[in-house]
Amino acid sequence: PTRDYNSQPSIFYSTLGTTARISFNERKIDTYFQRKHIYNHLPVIYLGAELGSYKMQHMPSYRIYGNLQLMLRHNVDLGMGGELDYLLQAGMIFGKVPYPMLHIFTGNQSHTFDPYRFSLMNNYQYAADQYISLHAHWDGKGILFNLIPGVRYARLRELAEVKVAYGGLRNNHQSILAFPTTQTGHNTLYAPTIPYVEVGVGIGNILRIGELYGIFRLTQINDLTTPWWAIRFRLHLGM
């Protein structure tokens, strides 16, 4: 479908926000103007709050909006079972805003793999004003490949991932700025009210520099604008 985002009017906005970071038994290194955190296997929680105002060319005055966000990052040591790294995000937007200021789930239309982007989702395909998403990645550290004679010397790693997006979207945002549509008048931006789920399996530490994934979408199978499966790769230095 044809999408023309560059023809939209300008949005002038200003925000005031704050973020709190909560960690447990985490070591840190303080430099002159920067603090570096040394992650452990305990969760790290981020809480964000934003209050802002915006104005478009056709509006006589500024409008107020709010945004609350929660993010949980956790690296779980599974012992002989490898390592699980997951990122859980949730948030809510208060007030009516133009669609570029909604929460846009990040797609990935390239052939590379990004652990924090949805591999089989287009950019600006799903948006929400209340949402939750999950990015989970498992690294088996060779728990299976090390059992195969000859293969174990390649030090390959088993990889698996699951990504979930879910959210709702109020229609009153369109009174500020209409959602983009195709030439036939159908919206190209909508909320994942049915959870969007994609999973993948892969092989890591290929020649010590690469990872290869096979990724499949479990929901929205009838969406013809994106493939329901794909092969993706990532450059990632192994050990």
Side-chain angles (χ1 to χ4, degrees), residues 9-11 54-56 58-59 63 65 93 95-104 173-174 176-179 189:
S10 300
I11 303 172
Y54 68 91
K55 182 179 182 296
M56 300 181 65
H58 66 277
M59 296 170 55
R63 289 179 177 265
Y65 75 95
I93 297 174
K96 296 185 291 186
V97 296
Y99 72 82
M101 298 177 66
L102 295 168
H103 176 78
I104 307 295
H173 298 291
Q174 298 208 63
I176 303 298
L177 180 62
F179 295 165
L189 184 69

Side-chain angles (χ1 to χ4, degrees), residues 41-87:
H41 289 290
L42 295 176
V44 179
I45 303 172
Y46 295 86
L47 299 172
E50 177 184 348
L51 180 65
S53 63
Y54 68 91
K55 182 179 182 296
M56 300 181 65
Q57 296 172 349
H58 66 277
M59 296 170 55
S61 61
Y62 280 84
R63 289 179 177 265
I64 305 296
Y65 75 95
N67 191 354
L68 294 178
Q69 302 174 9
L70 167 68
M71 184 173 70
L72 172 65
R73 174 78 182 273
H74 193 187
N75 183 275
V76 185
D77 185 1
L78 302 177
M80 295 182 61
E83 189 175 78
L84 174 66
D85 186 30
Y86 70 87
L87 175 66

Side-chain angles (χ1 to χ4, degrees), residues 173-193:
H173 298 291
Q174 298 208 63
S175 64
I176 303 298
L177 180 62
F179 295 165
T181 60
T182 64
Q183 294 179 348
T184 59
H186 293 90
N187 283 344
T188 60
L189 184 69
Y190 44 93
T193 53

Side-chain angles (χ1 to χ4, degrees), residues 16 18 26 28 54 71 77 96 120 129 156 208 213:
L16 177 64
T18 182
E26 187 178 65
K28 58 184 179 295
Y54 68 91
M71 184 173 70
D77 185 1
K96 296 185 291 186
L120 303 178
D129 54 24
L156 298 176
R208 305 291 195 273
Y213 293 85

